[in-house]
Amino acid sequence: RIVGMLTTCHYVGAQHRRARELAEEALDLAQQVGDPMLVAAGHWRLGFVAFALGEYTTARAHLEPMMAFYEPRHHRALISLCGSDPGPSALAYDACCLWCLGYPDQALARSQEALARAHQLDHPFSLADVLCYGGCLFNAMRRDAPRLKDYAGEMIQLATAMGFTAWLASGKCYQGEALAMLGQLEEGLAQMQAGIAGKES
């Protein structure tokens, strides 16, 4: 569990190659123990790290075990293990991978599934995670400015209410990007600058 948490810390710090080393170690330990939940969590971590490294096919191969393992009854135990719910998270990352690999229809369906599941959870941090990747990043890649603006707005509202400063900063960056795409350049730039300042503080 500790190695898995270290993986996330290095991932958040954009130290992706070190994160992969730790994720591989965590998965190896989980496989030695033979705990299916630990193994699924290990694959999930390797999946999102591989996505960050641009290895989309590899990422999907690791996200799949979590998507296959996940059931709502595992929800609370997985949150305790991972910090957020990796079931909807895996779907959100998979949507981004599918888009990057050239499967736009499958990607959109996967994004919608991730967001629907996350909205059903009673766990704001997990919802913020999925809004960031399955909502904002996904629609930023699609250049869908109206949807990006909507999801960024929802993310900002949630992050403000819950005190999630990192998610708030990301939401402002995405909202600024959406505004810029919609032609509101000055307002969009100001919002992106506010988001960047929030990430640096």
Side-chain angles (χ1 to χ4, degrees), residues 20-196:
R20 175 158 59 187
E21 292 172 359
L22 290 165
E24 289 171 345
E25 182 181 347
L27 178 58
D28 182 59
L29 290 169
Q31 290 170 333
Q32 289 179 38
V33 172
D35 185 323
M37 185 174 292
L38 288 174
V39 170
H43 279 294
W44 166 67
R45 291 188 181 98
L46 265 173
F48 65 68
V49 171
F51 169 75
L53 290 166
E55 300 170 4
Y56 307 123
T57 301
T58 299
R60 293 203 70 218
H62 284 295
L63 295 168
E64 176 56 39
M66 173 54 76
M67 292 187 290
F69 171 81
Y70 185 80
E71 294 180 14
R73 63 188 175 91
H74 296 136
H75 166 65
R76 292 296 173 189
L78 282 166
I79 287 177
S80 177
L81 178 65
C82 301
S84 63
D85 194 320
S89 173
L91 292 169
Y93 278 106
D94 194 50
C96 294
C97 290
L98 284 164
W99 176 263
C100 291
L101 290 168
Y103 300 97
D105 293 340
Q106 293 179 46
L108 180 58
R110 190 73 88 199
S111 168
Q112 291 171 341
E113 182 182 2
L115 289 159
R117 289 198 185 188
H119 278 108
Q120 291 169 0
L121 302 176
D122 183 22
H123 197 256
F125 193 85
S126 297
L127 176 56
D129 180 27
V130 173
L131 282 169
C132 184
Y133 295 99
C136 293
L137 176 59
F138 177 70
N139 283 290
M141 291 191 298
R142 295 175 69 229
R143 311 302 294 169
D144 188 332
R147 287 192 185 185
L148 174 57
K149 184 181 176 183
D150 288 345
Y151 287 124
E154 182 180 355
M155 188 174 166
I156 289 170
Q157 184 177 13
L158 175 65
T160 300
M162 302 305 300
F164 297 153
T165 55
W167 293 128
L168 176 59
S170 294
K172 287 181 178 180
C173 287
Y174 282 122
Q175 188 177 66
E177 184 176 356
L179 291 171
M181 281 194 281
L182 291 167
Q184 300 169 247
L185 298 180
E186 290 188 11
E187 186 178 350
L189 181 59
Q191 189 74 332
M192 283 188 276
Q193 290 173 332
I196 292 169

